[in-house]
Amino acid sequence: MARALVDMAGASILSAVNEPAVALAERLLATLPDADSRRVWFGHSGSDANDTAARVVTAATGRPRVVAFEGAYHGGLAGSSAISGHPSLDHGAKAPGLIQLPYPDPREGAEAGGDVLEILDAHLARHGREVAALFVEPILSDGGLIVPPAGFLHGLAARCRAHGILLVCDEVKVGLARTGHLHAFEAEEIVPDIICLGKGLGGGLPLSAVIGPVAVMDHTTAFSLMTTAGNPACASAGLAVLDTIARERLAPRAAVAGERFTAGLRALGHPLVRDVRGRGLAIGVELAERGAGAKACVRALELGAVFYFVGRDVLELTPALTISDAEIDEGVALIGRALDDVAAGRVPDSAVAAYAAW
Ligand SMILES: Cc1ncc(COP(=O)(O)O)c(C=O)c1O
């Protein structure tokens, strides 16, 4: 990293490659079974990765439609928000012919995995040949931290294969070891055609990647050209992140740490908690009262920890993968205190009024 900053921090991969970017591309490809038939694109954020993927799939295949999910957050740029179903991105235009499916939610009253696959089958029976790609978050994150039922991703992959549709996994939030696997899709032993990575990939520096088939990624020159993408400083950070994940065995550690976290949260037995769910260190705590999510986050912030809420009232816990057991226990206790205060009415509406929330 120091050498990258001193030597050529301003260099991009527009006109000449640099060693860290090539090394990072090779390292990412090596995480997949069919590396030779793939290419890597680098960007700066989850939004630009999904934006690039969303635009290139229709351009490269000549098929005009995309399938994606209600509640999905793929990014805040025109192309990525056009395929998103998250309410915060309702303002922009949606992709022409976008097919939006409900995300299967194991909770009562919601569509189960089989129901959603049936809905997809009905769409594909009419429009299968028009669909370029299906975008899915292996765990719906900002839409409510929902883990799909077993077999669902497999079902999607089978339908994509049957109709010649590219399967795109948005691994921006839950990828790179968070779920206990390097890639979250590994939970169902599927291999998507296209993978979008971001967030933790740069360890805090702006770095994202799209990995996909040669024919799609090499569609045209300069399809999604960004001057500083693939710069050596961010690429070095990406290499350091992948090294750390491997050296510190962070994927299996995330699985164990996640079990401790969820067990601790369940053991609170808190009346405000309706459900604790997740995979590894992607954890959702669904609260039983409307508005409790915002209040719990504000109270937790006062007590010294940052949490988010997603969906309606689901606390999202996506801590650093290096979190210690002691920090997990402290986090559980702190959430318990925050929830006690919310339940006892000690967090007034006025305490959350100053914060904009989705
Ligand atoms: C699944 C998913 N995809 C894409 C994005 C967009 O990433 P970024 O905020 O880095 O642009 C996010 C951000 O929360 C995300 O959770």
Side-chain angles (χ1 to χ4, degrees):
M1 167 65 90
R3 212 183 78 186
L5 285 167
V6 171
D7 278 2
M8 47 181 182
S12 75
I13 47 173
L14 283 193
S15 47
V17 291
N18 63 72
E19 273 177 42
V22 174
L24 180 59
E26 285 175 350
R27 285 283 293 280
L28 290 173
L29 288 169
T31 67
L32 298 164
D34 41 5
D36 288 349
S37 61
R38 293 178 187 264
R39 294 283 184 271
V40 180
W41 173 95
F42 287 124
H44 310 84
S45 68
S47 296
D48 67 15
N50 281 307
D51 191 276
T52 297
R55 290 184 298 108
V56 81
V57 290
T58 51
T61 62
R63 295 180 173 199
R65 288 174 185 261
V66 163
V67 178
F69 286 87
E70 292 166 10
Y73 188 98
H74 295 300
L77 298 175
S80 48
S81 65
I83 57 157
S84 292
H86 193 274
S88 69
L89 298 172
D90 270 354
H91 46 81
K94 291 298 159 199
L98 176 69
I99 297 170
Q100 275 180 319
L101 303 175
Y103 201 90
D105 186 338
R107 290 167 302 178
E108 214 181 317
E111 275 92 350
D115 299 345
V116 177
L117 292 174
E118 273 179 31
I119 299 172
L120 175 60
D121 284 337
H123 282 292
L124 295 182
R126 290 182 61 200
H127 302 297
R129 282 164 182 262
E130 299 159 38
V131 176
L134 183 150
F135 281 69
V136 65
E137 293 178 66
I139 292 176
L140 186 71
S141 302
D142 290 309
L145 216 298
I146 297 168
V147 182
F152 180 67
L153 296 179
H154 215 270
L156 292 181
R159 281 154 179 86
C160 284
R161 228 180 2 260
H163 291 269
I165 294 168
L166 296 161
L167 177 64
V168 186
C169 274
D170 178 351
E171 295 259 337
V172 168
K173 189 178 282 196
V174 297
L176 294 177
R178 177 163 300 285
T179 61
H181 300 277
L182 183 65
H183 300 300
F185 60 75
E186 289 169 27
E188 289 214 8
E189 293 171 8
I190 58 164
V191 182
D193 300 289
I194 298 181
I195 296 140
C196 297
L197 299 170
K199 289 199 190 270
L201 180 61
L205 290 183
L207 177 64
S208 63
V210 181
I211 310 166
V214 175
V216 177
M217 305 301 286
D218 284 353
H219 169 58
T220 55
T221 306
F223 181 83
S224 194
L225 182 156
M226 297 178 192
T227 302
T228 54
N231 71 75
C234 293
S236 298
L239 284 168
V241 164
L242 295 182
D243 280 344
T244 306
I245 288 173
R247 192 181 55 247
E248 298 187 16
R249 297 179 45 75
L250 291 182
R253 166 65 194 154
V256 173
E259 272 169 32
R260 185 180 186 98
F261 221 143
T262 47
L265 291 164
R266 288 189 183 122
L268 286 175
H270 203 285
L272 260 187
V273 173
R274 176 180 287 160
D275 186 29
V276 178
R277 54 178 177 257
R279 190 170 278 151
L281 284 173
I283 300 167
V285 182
E286 181 167 336
L287 303 181
E289 216 175 272
R290 196 75 205 272
K295 288 186 175 178
C297 285
V298 166
R299 186 67 189 122
L301 189 61
E302 290 166 357
L303 293 171
V306 176
F307 298 110
Y308 302 102
F309 71 95
V310 294
R312 276 217 173 136
D313 284 290
V314 182
L315 299 182
E316 179 201 284
L317 313 182
T318 44
L321 304 186
T322 50
I323 191 169
S324 67
D325 284 352
E327 287 166 331
I328 290 173
D329 297 346
E330 199 184 333
V332 169
L334 192 144
I335 291 172
R337 280 178 62 196
L339 293 177
D340 282 347
D341 288 344
V342 173
R346 287 192 286 269
V347 187
D349 291 345
S350 57
V352 295
Y355 298 96
W358 60 21

mmCIF file of all heavy atoms in Angstrom, residues 44-48 50 73-76 137 141-142 170-173 199, ligand 1:
data_model
loop_
_atom_site.group_PDB
_atom_site.id
_atom_site.type_symbol
_atom_site.label_atom_id
_atom_site.label_comp_id
_atom_site.label_asym_id
_atom_site.label_seq_id
_atom_site.Cartn_x
_atom_site.Cartn_y
_atom_site.Cartn_z
ATOM 1 N N HIS A 44 -15.769 2.106 -7.824
ATOM 2 C CA HIS A 44 -15.527 2.772 -6.540
ATOM 3 C C HIS A 44 -16.570 2.469 -5.474
ATOM 4 O O HIS A 44 -16.384 2.818 -4.309
ATOM 5 C CB HIS A 44 -15.528 4.288 -6.728
ATOM 6 C CG HIS A 44 -14.664 4.772 -7.845
ATOM 7 N ND1 HIS A 44 -15.086 4.802 -9.162
ATOM 8 C CD2 HIS A 44 -13.410 5.237 -7.845
ATOM 9 C CE1 HIS A 44 -14.128 5.273 -9.923
ATOM 10 N NE2 HIS A 44 -13.091 5.542 -9.162
ATOM 11 N N SER A 45 -17.712 1.920 -5.857
ATOM 12 C CA SER A 45 -18.798 1.755 -4.876
ATOM 13 C C SER A 45 -19.717 0.623 -5.321
ATOM 14 O O SER A 45 -19.707 0.226 -6.496
ATOM 15 C CB SER A 45 -19.626 3.045 -4.793
ATOM 16 O OG SER A 45 -20.326 3.232 -6.010
ATOM 17 N N GLY A 46 -20.503 0.150 -4.380
ATOM 18 C CA GLY A 46 -21.499 -0.851 -4.752
ATOM 19 C C GLY A 46 -22.440 -0.307 -5.814
ATOM 20 O O GLY A 46 -22.887 -1.032 -6.709
ATOM 21 N N SER A 47 -22.736 0.983 -5.714
ATOM 22 C CA SER A 47 -23.664 1.590 -6.677
ATOM 23 C C SER A 47 -23.109 1.544 -8.088
ATOM 24 O O SER A 47 -23.826 1.192 -9.035
ATOM 25 C CB SER A 47 -23.939 3.056 -6.296
ATOM 26 O OG SER A 47 -24.594 3.138 -5.061
ATOM 27 N N ASP A 48 -21.821 1.883 -8.268
ATOM 28 C CA ASP A 48 -21.315 1.892 -9.649
ATOM 29 C C ASP A 48 -21.111 0.466 -10.170
ATOM 30 O O ASP A 48 -21.237 0.204 -11.378
ATOM 31 C CB ASP A 48 -20.099 2.818 -9.853
ATOM 32 C CG ASP A 48 -18.819 2.390 -9.147
ATOM 33 O OD1 ASP A 48 -18.719 1.234 -8.710
ATOM 34 O OD2 ASP A 48 -17.892 3.239 -9.047
ATOM 35 N N ASN A 50 -23.126 -2.194 -9.462
ATOM 36 C CA ASN A 50 -24.439 -2.669 -9.920
ATOM 37 C C ASN A 50 -24.947 -1.875 -11.113
ATOM 38 O O ASN A 50 -25.661 -2.408 -11.967
ATOM 39 C CB ASN A 50 -25.453 -2.596 -8.765
ATOM 40 C CG ASN A 50 -25.285 -3.758 -7.810
ATOM 41 O OD1 ASN A 50 -25.282 -4.911 -8.224
ATOM 42 N ND2 ASN A 50 -25.123 -3.463 -6.527
ATOM 43 N N TYR A 73 -31.887 -3.203 -2.564
ATOM 44 C CA TYR A 73 -31.125 -1.952 -2.704
ATOM 45 C C TYR A 73 -29.860 -2.267 -3.488
ATOM 46 O O TYR A 73 -28.955 -2.906 -2.970
ATOM 47 C CB TYR A 73 -30.778 -1.367 -1.330
ATOM 48 C CG TYR A 73 -30.170 0.020 -1.426
ATOM 49 C CD1 TYR A 73 -30.939 1.163 -1.229
ATOM 50 C CD2 TYR A 73 -28.820 0.190 -1.739
ATOM 51 C CE1 TYR A 73 -30.398 2.429 -1.343
ATOM 52 C CE2 TYR A 73 -28.271 1.453 -1.863
ATOM 53 C CZ TYR A 73 -29.058 2.568 -1.659
ATOM 54 O OH TYR A 73 -28.522 3.829 -1.771
ATOM 55 N N HIS A 74 -29.802 -1.808 -4.742
ATOM 56 C CA HIS A 74 -28.618 -2.082 -5.557
ATOM 57 C C HIS A 74 -27.755 -0.843 -5.763
ATOM 58 O O HIS A 74 -26.650 -0.960 -6.301
ATOM 59 C CB HIS A 74 -29.031 -2.665 -6.911
ATOM 60 C CG HIS A 74 -29.681 -4.018 -6.808
ATOM 61 N ND1 HIS A 74 -29.036 -5.117 -6.258
ATOM 62 C CD2 HIS A 74 -30.924 -4.447 -7.153
ATOM 63 C CE1 HIS A 74 -29.853 -6.166 -6.297
ATOM 64 N NE2 HIS A 74 -30.999 -5.785 -6.816
ATOM 65 N N GLY A 75 -28.235 0.335 -5.372
ATOM 66 C CA GLY A 75 -27.378 1.511 -5.483
ATOM 67 C C GLY A 75 -28.118 2.747 -5.917
ATOM 68 O O GLY A 75 -29.233 2.681 -6.434
ATOM 69 N N GLY A 76 -27.473 3.880 -5.701
ATOM 70 C CA GLY A 76 -28.128 5.173 -5.890
ATOM 71 C C GLY A 76 -27.827 5.853 -7.220
ATOM 72 O O GLY A 76 -28.133 7.040 -7.372
ATOM 73 N N GLU A 137 -29.987 -10.231 -4.202
ATOM 74 C CA GLU A 137 -29.132 -10.168 -3.017
ATOM 75 C C GLU A 137 -29.272 -11.528 -2.324
ATOM 76 O O GLU A 137 -30.396 -11.924 -1.999
ATOM 77 C CB GLU A 137 -29.602 -9.076 -2.066
ATOM 78 C CG GLU A 137 -29.447 -7.664 -2.577
ATOM 79 C CD GLU A 137 -29.992 -6.648 -1.563
ATOM 80 O OE1 GLU A 137 -29.417 -6.524 -0.475
ATOM 81 O OE2 GLU A 137 -31.011 -6.007 -1.872
ATOM 82 N N SER A 141 -30.888 -7.284 2.174
ATOM 83 C CA SER A 141 -30.275 -6.551 3.289
ATOM 84 C C SER A 141 -31.118 -5.357 3.713
ATOM 85 O O SER A 141 -31.829 -5.413 4.711
ATOM 86 C CB SER A 141 -28.861 -6.126 2.899
ATOM 87 O OG SER A 141 -28.099 -7.274 2.558
ATOM 88 N N ASP A 142 -31.062 -4.283 2.925
ATOM 89 C CA ASP A 142 -31.787 -3.076 3.331
ATOM 90 C C ASP A 142 -33.296 -3.286 3.281
ATOM 91 O O ASP A 142 -34.048 -2.506 3.859
ATOM 92 C CB ASP A 142 -31.362 -1.893 2.450
ATOM 93 C CG ASP A 142 -29.931 -1.475 2.768
ATOM 94 O OD1 ASP A 142 -29.631 -1.266 3.957
ATOM 95 O OD2 ASP A 142 -29.107 -1.400 1.847
ATOM 96 N N ASP A 170 -25.698 -9.728 -6.109
ATOM 97 C CA ASP A 170 -25.204 -8.493 -5.490
ATOM 98 C C ASP A 170 -24.675 -8.879 -4.111
ATOM 99 O O ASP A 170 -25.440 -9.037 -3.161
ATOM 100 C CB ASP A 170 -26.350 -7.483 -5.391
ATOM 101 C CG ASP A 170 -25.903 -6.187 -4.709
ATOM 102 O OD1 ASP A 170 -24.785 -6.149 -4.171
ATOM 103 O OD2 ASP A 170 -26.698 -5.223 -4.720
ATOM 104 N N GLU A 171 -23.364 -9.019 -4.041
ATOM 105 C CA GLU A 171 -22.703 -9.451 -2.798
ATOM 106 C C GLU A 171 -22.119 -8.243 -2.059
ATOM 107 O O GLU A 171 -21.258 -8.395 -1.194
ATOM 108 C CB GLU A 171 -21.572 -10.439 -3.139
ATOM 109 C CG GLU A 171 -22.053 -11.742 -3.749
ATOM 110 C CD GLU A 171 -22.085 -12.902 -2.753
ATOM 111 O OE1 GLU A 171 -21.361 -12.855 -1.748
ATOM 112 O OE2 GLU A 171 -22.865 -13.842 -2.984
ATOM 113 N N VAL A 172 -22.578 -7.049 -2.434
ATOM 114 C CA VAL A 172 -21.951 -5.830 -1.903
ATOM 115 C C VAL A 172 -21.991 -5.803 -0.376
ATOM 116 O O VAL A 172 -20.992 -5.515 0.273
ATOM 117 C CB VAL A 172 -22.618 -4.572 -2.508
ATOM 118 C CG1 VAL A 172 -22.205 -3.315 -1.765
ATOM 119 C CG2 VAL A 172 -22.255 -4.462 -3.987
ATOM 120 N N LYS A 173 -23.153 -6.118 0.205
ATOM 121 C CA LYS A 173 -23.227 -6.017 1.664
ATOM 122 C C LYS A 173 -22.871 -7.327 2.364
ATOM 123 O O LYS A 173 -22.183 -7.321 3.370
ATOM 124 C CB LYS A 173 -24.614 -5.566 2.117
ATOM 125 C CG LYS A 173 -24.626 -5.244 3.615
ATOM 126 C CD LYS A 173 -25.953 -4.731 4.134
ATOM 127 C CE LYS A 173 -26.184 -3.294 3.803
ATOM 128 N NZ LYS A 173 -27.258 -2.681 4.589
ATOM 129 N N LYS A 199 -18.288 -2.326 -0.734
ATOM 130 C CA LYS A 199 -18.147 -2.094 0.715
ATOM 131 C C LYS A 199 -16.807 -2.571 1.257
ATOM 132 O O LYS A 199 -15.788 -1.936 1.036
ATOM 133 C CB LYS A 199 -19.315 -2.729 1.473
ATOM 134 C CG LYS A 199 -20.628 -1.984 1.246
ATOM 135 C CD LYS A 199 -21.640 -2.296 2.304
ATOM 136 C CE LYS A 199 -23.019 -1.766 1.966
ATOM 137 N NZ LYS A 199 -23.312 -0.409 2.422
HETATM 138 C C1 LIG B 1 -26.680 -4.908 -1.428
HETATM 139 C C2 LIG B 1 -26.158 -3.538 -1.743
HETATM 140 N N1 LIG B 1 -25.827 -3.242 -2.999
HETATM 141 C C3 LIG B 1 -25.336 -2.035 -3.331
HETATM 142 C C4 LIG B 1 -25.176 -1.040 -2.388
HETATM 143 C C5 LIG B 1 -24.631 0.293 -2.791
HETATM 144 O O1 LIG B 1 -23.316 0.399 -2.337
HETATM 145 P P1 LIG B 1 -22.615 1.816 -2.155
HETATM 146 O O2 LIG B 1 -23.314 2.496 -1.025
HETATM 147 O O3 LIG B 1 -21.182 1.486 -1.851
HETATM 148 O O4 LIG B 1 -22.751 2.563 -3.419
HETATM 149 C C6 LIG B 1 -25.518 -1.299 -1.070
HETATM 150 C C7 LIG B 1 -25.379 -0.251 -0.039
HETATM 151 O O5 LIG B 1 -25.888 -0.333 1.050
HETATM 152 C C8 LIG B 1 -26.015 -2.590 -0.731
HETATM 153 O O6 LIG B 1 -26.359 -2.894 0.521
#
